[in-house]
Amino acid sequence: MLSGDIPPSQTIYIKNLNEKVKKEELKRSLYALFSQYGRILDVVALKTPKLRGQAWVVFTEITAASNAVRQMQNFPFYDKPMIFDSVQIASLISLRERIQYAKTKSDCIAKEDGSYDKKKKQEEKAERKRRAEEAQQSTMPNGASAQNGGSTASFRHGNSSAQEAVAPNNILFIENLPHEATSMMLEMLFQQYPGFREVRMIEAKPGIAFVEFEDDQQSSMAMQTLQGFKITPQNPMTITFAKK
DNA sequence: AGCACA
């Protein structure tokens, strides 16, 4: 079940993002997460009903986009110093399935390579609008909003003994950090997520840290997007909920 | 679920 039949491009399409995260916040997080794969030209995210929860990250190089897609696909399960629990595996799987190449060229790329055609663009837009209106007409105009908190915090994987070990917590436990990691570096990374409170590191225990958020959902969001983030290439960080 | 360029 790979990313389907869409050919590689400089732009990756990401779906299933938390719709509650503010647009700017989301763009910044994606930028932070994906800039490890190469230079990013643009991050596009809109909050319109049709486009919320999705984003496009435009790289300067196709290879960077491919790396981003591939890295997420082959998430480093086996490099991890600890055994993965079902919650983490579930969140990794959902991460993997969220990322594909974009179907069409990003405007910022088309502008670069001269293929950007403003007229055509407007026609396409008008066309989309017309079709959307048609669709509106055939259904009853009724704002059916299927709200699904979209949180990773509420997994319902049978096995209650496993669940005990991984109960969501507003405090995250970070492992496999390079020894040169500082609390400021972690702060830069985590503070971009809503609800961030503080980073705590322990002098005597290098390689680990605790990161506190206001609540479980906010910590989950940060965990999900920063899971495996590499401060150095050798050190994908492992994030779990701290034990209560 | 959902592929745009506010």
Side-chain angles (χ1 to χ4, degrees):
Chain A
M1 233 156 288
L2 284 166
S3 33
D5 37 7
I6 308 152
S9 86
Q10 288 166 77
T11 306
I12 59 172
Y13 167 72
I14 308 157
K15 61 184 178 182
N16 272 322
L17 296 164
N18 186 332
E19 301 183 5
K20 300 217 174 98
V21 178
K22 290 197 287 294
K23 196 169 69 182
E24 286 313 312
E25 210 70 61
L26 179 66
K27 286 188 181 184
R28 270 201 291 276
S29 309
L30 292 172
Y31 192 93
L33 215 206
F34 286 99
S35 51
Q36 62 181 314
Y37 300 112
R39 259 203 64 199
I40 293 175
L41 282 179
D42 198 11
V43 178
V44 176
L46 291 102
K47 294 276 262 183
T48 61
K50 196 184 160 203
L51 292 169
R52 61 202 326 153
Q54 298 153 81
W56 290 261
V57 177
V58 190
F59 291 94
T60 52
E61 307 291 337
I62 293 185
T63 54
S66 304
N67 284 338
V69 172
R70 192 177 24 221
Q71 296 268 18
M72 288 304 185
Q73 270 155 4
N74 315 325
F75 217 88
F77 289 94
Y78 306 108
D79 305 344
K80 302 274 178 164
M82 48 172 289
I83 313 287
F84 271 86
D85 53 65
S86 59
V87 169
Q88 286 179 319
I89 288 170
S91 77
L92 292 176
I93 289 170
S94 63
L95 234 191
R96 151 180 22 179
E97 288 169 350
R98 285 178 194 181
I99 304 187
Q100 297 160 4
Y101 294 109
K103 284 179 182 160
T104 56
K105 192 188 281 189
S106 295
D107 283 0
C108 68
I109 304 283
K111 280 170 186 161
E112 289 279 312
D113 69 17
S115 66
Y116 186 75
D117 180 343
K118 197 161 185 183
K119 284 235 172 61
K120 198 170 122 208
K121 203 73 207 177
Q122 284 164 349
E123 281 159 24
E124 282 168 6
K125 200 159 195 169
E127 171 68 15
R128 270 199 303 276
K129 180 168 263 176
R130 235 194 47 226
R131 289 223 307 271
E133 274 153 18
E134 268 171 29
Q136 268 296 313
Q137 236 130 63
S138 49
T139 30
M140 231 44 246
N142 181 11
S145 57
Q147 275 302 31
N148 163 25
S151 107
T152 39
S154 54
F155 283 89
R156 260 162 246 111
H157 288 270
N159 200 334
S160 64
S161 61
Q163 202 146 4
E164 203 137 69
V166 301
N169 192 326
N170 65 315
I171 301 174
L172 299 175
F173 179 49
I174 322 296
E175 293 175 277
N176 197 35
L177 293 166
H179 285 20
E180 60 266 40
T182 63
S183 53
M184 180 171 304
M185 289 164 70
L186 293 177
E187 202 174 295
M188 286 170 56
L189 217 47
F190 283 92
Q191 83 189 156
Q192 308 174 87
Y193 297 88
F196 170 84
R197 275 187 181 149
E198 64 164 357
V199 171
R200 291 191 293 273
M201 293 180 90
I202 298 136
E203 288 296 317
K205 297 190 188 218
I208 68 164
F210 293 92
V211 181
E212 184 173 336
F213 282 82
E214 275 159 36
D215 62 43
D216 298 2
Q217 294 197 340
Q218 294 171 321
S219 63
S220 300
M221 183 60 201
M223 170 162 101
Q224 210 176 328
T225 35
L226 287 176
Q227 187 63 265
F229 187 90
K230 299 185 185 87
I231 288 179
T232 65
Q234 310 78 247
N235 292 78
M237 60 174 72
T238 300
I239 311 178
T240 53
F241 295 114
K243 294 202 188 86
K244 301 241 187 196

